[in-house]
Amino acid sequence: MTEFDDFNRKMIDDFRANNGTVTIEGFAGAPLLLLHHVGAKSGTERVTPLAYDEVDGKLFIIASKGGSPENPAWYYNLLANPDTTIEFGPDTIAVTAEALTEGEERDRLYKHIAEKMPNFAEYQKKTDRIIPVVVLHRK
C-alpha cells in the first residue's frame, strides 16, 4: 500500500466514523464525499474521497489530479461505468456521472468551486488539459 493509499484509507475511515464529516487536520469540515467506482479495466471496486461542490442542486466533483497532465483513474472508471454510488454525509446515494469537458456549464461550475477552493484554480494553471467537471445526478 502506498503512502497515498494509506492516507485515503484514513480519510475514508474518519469520514465513516464521523457520519460523513472529516476531522483530520487540514481537511476538518471540508466538503468531502466518498465516490464508489469500478475499475474500467480491472473491474475492481474502489472508493475515493473527493472534494465536492453543489450549485443549483447540481452536485459535482473535479477530475483535477492536482493539476497533473493526465486525468485521475477514477475519472476513466466513471466514463466506463457512470452508474454508481456516493457516500454523502451519513447517506449512500445512487448517482449517474456526467463528464463535462467543455462548454459554458463546465466553465461555470469550475469557476464556482475555484472561487471557494482556490487550489482548483492553481491546478488548472499547472496543466494544459481542460480539467473535467463531473456532475453526479441523483437517481
Side-chain angles (χ1 to χ4, degrees), residues 2-112:
T2 68
E3 190 174 319
F4 183 73
D5 291 334
D6 187 46
F7 179 78
N8 275 353
R9 170 57 35 211
K10 287 177 185 173
M11 185 82 72
I12 291 165
D13 291 345
D14 187 58
F15 181 99
R16 289 176 173 159
N18 294 291
N19 289 317
T21 301
V22 175
T23 63
I24 294 173
E25 187 176 337
F27 294 90
L32 294 175
L33 58 76
L34 301 183
L35 174 70
H36 292 245
H37 51 103
V38 175
K41 295 178 185 175
S42 69
T44 302
E45 293 184 24
R46 304 181 189 282
V47 178
T48 302
L50 296 168
Y52 74 89
D53 201 359
E54 191 167 3
V55 174
D56 302 330
K58 290 184 181 184
L59 188 64
F60 63 96
I61 53 180
I62 306 296
S64 65
K65 198 175 181 185
S68 72
E70 67 277 341
N71 292 315
W74 63 257
Y75 174 75
Y76 297 107
N77 294 344
L78 289 180
L79 291 180
N81 303 292
D83 293 318
T84 191
T85 59
I86 58 171
E87 291 177 55
F88 188 65
D91 302 317
T92 299
I93 301 168
V95 297
T96 299
E98 175 191 11
L100 305 177
T101 57
E102 59 183 19
E104 214 172 283
E105 184 67 357
R106 180 258 169 223
D107 295 346
R108 179 178 81 93
L109 295 174
Y110 199 94
K111 180 180 178 193
H112 189 273

